[in-house]
Amino acid sequence: MKNFLFCIIIFIFSNVLQAQNLAIVGKWKTIDDETGKPLSIIEIYEKHNKIYGKVIEIFNPKNKKIPKCEKCDGEDKNKPILGLVVIKGLTWEKNEYTNGKILDPKHGKLYKCSISFESKDKLKVRGYIGVELLGRTQYWERVKI
């Protein structure tokens, strides 16, 4: 009986964790923290129990003319921005997604990243160097279908 109860508790706990991951999965509109204007749509998905996000749409026609991430390093260098994976390997920990990276294709910089929910349809996305105090925050809105 104890083993059965233990299995039920583990099952419920794993479903709660899975639901948290699925809550972030979807399409999110990025908002420029300086201008307040929409920048792009990022599709967030799960792969191997980690969270990733790729650019699937760019709003500013001027930015569409910059077809590749020329300032990026490593495997992202000269990749098209459309389709570029900008959120890399986040995991769920203490009410936020963390332990991953976020890429700023405009400047070619890779930062540590944390993402938390402001509400069901609004994300707080923080990119930083070293400690979270040294960084920038953007708020992304869920794209409603």
Side-chain angles (χ1 to χ4, degrees):
M1 183 66 177
K2 287 182 183 179
N3 286 341
F4 179 72
L5 225 65
F6 181 72
C7 288
I8 289 176
I9 290 170
I10 293 297
F11 176 76
I12 290 170
F13 182 71
S14 66
N15 281 343
V16 168
L17 290 178
Q18 184 67 21
Q20 286 293 345
N21 278 345
L22 295 179
I24 197 171
V25 169
K27 295 177 182 174
W28 297 86
K29 181 174 21 172
T30 67
I31 309 295
D32 188 302
D33 54 319
E34 294 173 358
T35 66
K37 294 182 179 180
L39 296 173
S40 64
I41 302 287
I42 305 294
E43 182 175 25
I44 296 181
Y45 58 95
E46 182 181 9
K47 180 178 172 186
H48 305 297
N49 294 319
K50 294 193 176 188
I51 298 298
Y52 296 85
K54 67 181 175 182
V55 179
I56 62 167
E57 188 174 339
I58 300 170
F59 292 122
N60 187 340
K62 184 178 96 175
N63 291 339
K64 288 181 182 180
K65 293 179 185 175
I66 306 170
K68 296 182 179 179
C69 192
E70 295 169 354
K71 296 181 180 179
C72 291
D73 292 326
E75 65 182 30
D76 293 324
K77 185 159 185 69
N78 292 322
K79 277 192 175 175
I81 292 175
L82 204 55
L84 187 64
V85 176
V86 293
I87 296 173
K88 303 172 184 245
L90 294 173
T91 56
W92 181 254
E93 186 177 303
K94 298 180 184 175
N95 297 323
E96 70 177 0
Y97 294 91
T98 189
N99 299 320
K101 304 279 184 176
I102 190 164
L103 176 66
D104 174 1
K106 182 177 178 182
H107 299 103
K109 301 285 185 187
L110 194 61
Y111 300 98
K112 291 182 180 180
C113 180
S114 67
I115 299 178
S116 58
F117 284 94
E118 284 289 301
S119 69
K120 166 179 109 132
D121 294 325
K122 190 173 186 178
L123 294 178
K124 178 181 176 183
V125 181
R126 182 109 178 121
Y128 58 95
I129 300 171
V131 294
E132 283 198 58
L133 292 174
L134 304 172
R136 268 179 45 197
T137 300
Q138 286 186 341
Y139 294 91
W140 296 2
E141 299 170 355
R142 187 182 300 274
V143 175
K144 307 258 182 164
I145 299 173

